[in-house]
């Protein structure tokens, strides 16, 4: 049971990170606009949808690798 829970808790954010990196349904720009319009602090210089996509790719790949290493 715990293995399935681990698999779900790591695979779902990993998949979300990969989809964010691939800009599925314009998600990187939607996250960027959400943070720019509703964040209590203003994001600094260099913050862009590209940075969000790169972060999503790194997060997604690292989580998927973690699942593969655990299997």
């Amino acid at each position: 049971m715990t293995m399935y829970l681990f698999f779900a808790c790591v695979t779902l954010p990993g998949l979300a990170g990969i989809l964010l990196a691939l800009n599925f349904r314009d998600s990187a720009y939607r996250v960027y606009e959400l943070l720019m319009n509703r964040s209590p602090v203003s994001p600094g210089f260099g913050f862009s949808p590209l940075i969000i996509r790169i972060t999503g790719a790194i997060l997604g790949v690292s989580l998927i690798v973690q699942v593969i290493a655990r299997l």
Side-chain angles (χ1 to χ4, degrees), residues 3-46:
M3 185 65 175
Y4 294 120
L5 184 61
F6 170 79
F7 183 72
C9 290
V10 175
T11 304
L12 290 177
L15 182 62
I18 296 296
L19 290 175
L20 184 65
L22 295 175
N23 205 19
F24 182 72
R25 295 186 56 112
D26 207 26
S27 60
Y29 295 100
R30 291 174 192 249
V31 170
Y32 174 75
E33 285 296 319
L34 176 79
L35 293 176
M36 290 300 285
N37 293 333
R38 293 186 175 86
S39 179
V41 294
S42 177
F45 175 73

